[in-house]
């Protein structure tokens, strides 16, 4: 018990593959990694945080070889960041994409293997992309069959990658990953014939 309490005083060593963040480095670090970063928000002395630390470090070593950064932030010391994210429990582990928290590592997934699985899952595209309307129409029977008997909604957005609708839909797709099917058709929809 004493060693566990002592370990809670020193969270993530300087040699750790986990990047230690502060309020002043947090936003800049997220901006530097728009494709995604996993952040462990912890509180010193928290027994669950202490238990997570070696597992998070193991995952960080593996993911570091793949160029996926893992970071940590003491939510008690950096209270302004914790308030901004409305954190109420520790540890909280969030996946950020484009600087926005989009997914939380489930509390029961706090082993290195589960962290690796989670990161693999959130790194996958949140939307199915079709190049043309014809490709989209061709895929509809498969989609209908896959969704048969479920209540998961399917949402499609049409148009270029930089459209405001597409950017908004990308964020929603990230946040609702697994709860709905999101599709992007790059080709703009054909205009209805005049008078139709």
């Amino acid at each position: 018990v004493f060693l566990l309490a002592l370990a809670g005083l020193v969270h993530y060593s300087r040699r750790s593959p986990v990047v230690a963040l502060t309020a002043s480095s947090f936003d800049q670090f997220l901006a530097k990694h728009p494709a995604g970063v996993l952040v462990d928000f912890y509180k010193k002395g928290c027994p669950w945080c202490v238990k997570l630390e070696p597992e998070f470090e193991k995952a960080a070593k593996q993911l570091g070889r793949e160029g996926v950064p893992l970071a940590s932030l003491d939510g008690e010391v950096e209270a302004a960041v914790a308030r901004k994210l409305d954190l109420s429990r520790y540890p909280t582990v969030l996946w950020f994409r484009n600087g926005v928290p989009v997914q939380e590592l489930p509390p029961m997934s706090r082993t290195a293997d589960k962290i690796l699985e989670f990161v693999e899952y959130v790194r996958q595209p949140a939307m199915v992309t079709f190049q043309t309307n014809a490709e989209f129409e061709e895929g509809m029977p498969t989609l209908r069959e896959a969704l048969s008997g479920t209540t998961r909604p399917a949402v499609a957005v049409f148009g270029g990658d930089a459209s405001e609708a597409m950017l908004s839909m990308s964020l929603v797709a990230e946040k609702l990953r697994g709860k709905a099917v999101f599709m992007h058709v790059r080709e703009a929809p054909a205009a209805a014939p005049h008078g139709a």
Side-chain angles (χ1 to χ4, degrees), residues 21 26-27 29-31 33-41 68-69 71 73 81 84-85 87 92-105 118 122-123 171 174:
L21 300 176
F26 183 74
D27 289 332
F29 187 79
L30 295 181
H33 301 284
V37 60
L38 190 63
V39 182
D40 168 25
F41 296 92
V68 179
L73 184 134
V81 175
K84 179 173 113 177
L85 295 169
L87 299 178
T92 295
V93 182
L94 299 174
W95 177 257
F96 289 80
R97 187 177 309 272
N98 295 315
V100 177
V102 294
Q103 289 287 316
E104 180 179 353
L105 177 71
F118 175 78
V122 294
R123 289 178 67 198
L171 177 60
E174 290 287 349

Side-chain angles (χ1 to χ4, degrees), residues 9-10 12 14-15 26-27 42 45 57 71 77 96 98 106 110-111 118 136-137 139 147 163 165 177 192 196:
L9 299 176
V10 181
Y12 298 112
R14 290 185 182 175
R15 295 180 307 182
F26 183 74
D27 289 332
Y42 68 93
E57 285 189 338
V77 172
F96 289 80
N98 295 315
R110 302 269 168 89
T111 65
F118 175 78
F136 174 68
E137 291 294 331
L147 293 176
S163 72
R177 180 185 293 269

Side-chain angles (χ1 to χ4, degrees), residues 127-133 136 156-167 169-170 183-190:
M127 298 179 81
V128 177
T129 301
F130 299 96
Q131 298 301 319
T132 65
N133 289 314
F136 174 68
V157 63
F158 294 81
D161 293 339
S163 72
E164 191 171 319
M166 178 56 201
L167 296 174
M169 189 60 64
S170 294
M183 298 163 285
H184 172 218
V185 182
R186 287 197 164 118
E187 181 181 53

